[in-house]
Amino acid sequence: MRKTYKFRIYPTKPQIRQMERSLEVCRHVYNRTLAERKQVYEETGKTLSKYTLNNLLPQWKADNPEYNEVFSQTLQEVQERVDLAFKHFFRRVKNGEKPGYPRFKGKGWYDSFTYPQMGFKLKDDHIYLSKIGDVYVKFHRQIEGNIKRVTVRRTSCTKWYVSLIIEPEDIPTPIVDLNKVIGIDVGLSSFLTMSDGDNVSNPRFFKAEEKELARVQRKLSQTVKGTTDRQKAIKVVQRVHERISNKRYDFAHQISRFLVDKYSFIAFEDLNIKNMIRDPQYSKSIADVSWNMLITATKYKAESAGKIVVLVNPYNTSQMCSKCGLIVKKTINNRIHKCDSCGLALDRDYNAAINILRLGLQSVGIKSVEARRL
């Protein structure tokens, strides 16, 4: 298992210029690699391997001296991205999905570069990056483990971040404490409802910023393309989007940290969010809650802490009575579960969370545990 630490970096103006040039060189190499693969396939019907393309880099550098401004392994990693894009393309074709053929990157559309093995080194509150120098880093937490990979990224608001891929030295053996197990039903009325009866309200970050976003987008639509006023208006819109994204990201990580610290076993539904988000009535709300971000953050935190996270089949978790097992049909507007067989009446999300916990425990060989409050 590998962990990712993300930190804000504060490069000097010369370093920013060099990083911007590095992104442009990487973009050119990406487009050239894509063009090379496309041309060879059209002419011969054969696919160039990543290693064959890596061997072309020395000649490309000789033809384009600016390529030498970027660390050699970083350019190889760019070609790896093209190779990965084609692998995903062929996988989607095989599965009958919308293929999405790899596209060329326009100016400004390449926003990160990677040091896959070397070319970096931590120095107190700085990180050394080959061809760039020592860049100041705001370390907000301690790094534990060996750094295997470093990625530098520029956001739409021209902030710079560094992501450190770490291989932890010790990973605890997972142990289930039956006094610390929880089932979680994610939703829209409540962000999540737990099998012990607690719930977390939906913060609705996008809805809170929707009027402000509409205001700045109206201003943007009134500007003339190609003017400095339009560029400024675009930046304002990007800042609002970034603020919403940051709030959502911070909230998901706070909740996931709370869950991992408190419980040894956590069960979620294995939701097909891609299909759910196609519903025009709820697509905006589902996108705003970012369930997948919460589940992903909880999974990797739990793994490094020796806790267990399982995903269960969501089929009938809301319809089944958690006490007697009878299927009680409900529409999405029925918020209360009422069972005519056993008389159980409680919030439908609470009922679903209890079922999720039961299914989660069964998936690891534990038959049952009393999860509801008496």
Side-chain angles (χ1 to χ4, degrees), residues 82-275:
V82 178
D83 187 65
L84 189 61
F86 273 102
K87 286 179 179 177
H88 288 321
F89 166 73
F90 290 126
R91 174 183 54 79
R92 289 191 291 267
V93 171
K94 184 178 180 180
N95 294 338
E97 303 172 20
K98 187 176 180 181
Y101 189 84
R103 295 190 291 181
F104 294 99
K105 303 290 185 182
K107 186 175 177 63
W109 283 90
Y110 202 95
D111 60 7
S112 69
F113 56 90
T114 297
Y115 296 85
Q117 291 177 321
M118 57 183 69
F120 54 86
K121 185 178 181 181
L122 293 186
K123 297 181 176 179
D124 297 326
D125 57 354
H126 286 73
I127 183 170
Y128 167 76
L129 301 173
S130 180
K131 306 289 185 176
I132 295 171
D134 294 335
V135 183
Y136 176 72
V137 186
K138 183 66 174 179
F139 289 111
H140 58 269
R141 57 176 172 156
Q142 187 176 358
I143 299 172
E144 299 176 352
N146 301 314
I147 303 175
K148 296 296 183 180
R149 191 179 180 94
V150 170
T151 296
V152 177
R153 184 176 301 276
R154 178 192 62 194
T155 69
S156 60
C157 295
T158 63
K159 295 176 183 177
W160 293 87
Y161 291 86
V162 63
S163 295
L164 311 179
I165 309 299
I166 305 295
E167 190 173 81
E169 297 174 351
D170 298 310
I171 300 176
T173 302
I175 299 174
V176 178
D177 180 351
L178 292 181
N179 293 316
K180 297 180 179 179
V181 296
I182 201 74
I184 295 175
D185 179 65
V186 293
L188 298 178
S189 56
S190 293
F191 179 68
L192 57 84
T193 302
M194 295 182 277
S195 56
D196 61 4
D198 290 335
N199 64 70
V200 176
S201 60
N202 188 350
R204 305 182 192 278
F205 294 119
F206 183 83
K207 187 174 182 179
E209 298 273 5
E210 199 167 12
K211 288 185 179 179
E212 175 65 10
L213 184 60
R215 185 184 70 81
V216 297
Q217 286 177 329
R218 281 196 301 271
K219 283 193 172 183
L220 172 61
S221 66
Q222 295 166 2
T223 59
V224 179
K225 291 184 177 180
T227 63
T228 55
D229 284 345
R230 185 170 182 85
Q231 291 301 316
K232 291 178 181 178
I234 289 173
K235 290 294 182 185
V236 174
V237 173
Q238 289 173 335
R239 287 192 196 101
V240 176
H241 277 295
E242 185 181 60
R243 185 165 65 239
I244 296 169
S245 177
N246 287 344
K247 287 180 179 180
R248 194 179 289 139
Y249 178 87
D250 182 64
F251 181 74
H253 279 274
Q254 285 191 38
I255 297 299
S256 63
R257 173 50 57 196
F258 164 78
L259 294 173
V260 171
D261 286 346
K262 187 172 181 180
Y263 302 104
S264 69
F265 180 92
I266 305 165
F268 290 101
E269 288 178 302
D270 189 10
L271 298 173
N272 190 335
I273 298 172
K274 283 187 178 180
N275 285 343

Side-chain angles (χ1 to χ4, degrees), residues 313-331:
N313 189 336
Y315 182 70
N316 272 343
T317 53
S318 294
Q319 309 294 336
M320 182 180 292
C321 179
S322 59
K323 186 174 181 181
C324 68
L326 183 71
I327 299 299
V328 181
K329 292 295 182 181
K330 314 175 188 68
T331 66

